[in-house]
């Protein structure tokens, strides 16, 4: 498949944390993408389930470094009770 037909999204991970006892229903989304100029971006989106949440975009020099950052963030979230969706 030619590169121009491929999705710019390289990796996408969605985590959630649901704890009815503490009234917690949250999500955390991590996505590595490449913009039209070839910049590798790690896009984070988090908030309460049912809302749009907040966004944070970080720029990385390579997809490998963005992947390492994604895994580090995901591991921290899993330690805090988030589970893969």
């Amino acid at each position: 498949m030619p590169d121009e037909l491929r999705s710019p999204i390289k990796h996408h991970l969605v985590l959630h944390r649901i704890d009815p006892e503490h009234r917690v229903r949250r999500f955390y989304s991590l996505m590595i993408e490449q913009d039209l100029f070839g910049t590798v971006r790690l896009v984070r989106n988090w908030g309460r389930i049912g809302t749009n949440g907040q966004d944070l975009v970080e720029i990385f020099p390579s997809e490998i470094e963005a992947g390492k950052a994604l895994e580090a963030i995901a591991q921290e979230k899993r330690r805090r009770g988030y589970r893969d969706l």
Side-chain angles (χ1 to χ4, degrees):
M1 178 180 285
D3 284 340
E4 62 269 4
L5 296 179
R6 291 185 182 190
S7 170
I9 299 171
K10 303 293 184 183
H11 305 279
H12 190 202
L13 175 66
V14 179
L15 304 167
H16 71 283
R17 181 174 172 210
I18 299 174
D19 184 355
E21 187 176 304
H22 294 104
R23 300 186 65 184
V24 173
R25 294 180 48 82
R26 302 189 60 77
F27 71 92
Y28 205 96
S29 171
L30 297 156
M31 180 173 47
I32 297 174
E33 65 182 18
Q34 200 170 24
D35 67 11
L36 294 174
F37 303 106
T39 305
V40 177
R41 305 169 357 140
L42 174 60
V43 180
R44 300 195 228 177
N45 178 251
W46 69 91
R48 290 183 60 84
I49 293 175
T51 68
N52 291 334
Q54 299 178 42
D55 290 317
L56 176 67
V57 178
E58 295 177 82
I59 307 295
F60 287 89
S62 71
E63 190 175 329
I64 292 170
E65 290 183 38
K68 289 178 183 177
L70 182 146
E71 278 304 314
I73 295 165
Q75 289 299 342
E76 176 60 30
K77 291 298 173 187
R78 288 179 184 122
R79 278 195 292 273
R80 299 188 82 203
Y82 283 79
R83 299 288 171 242
D84 292 46
L85 187 60

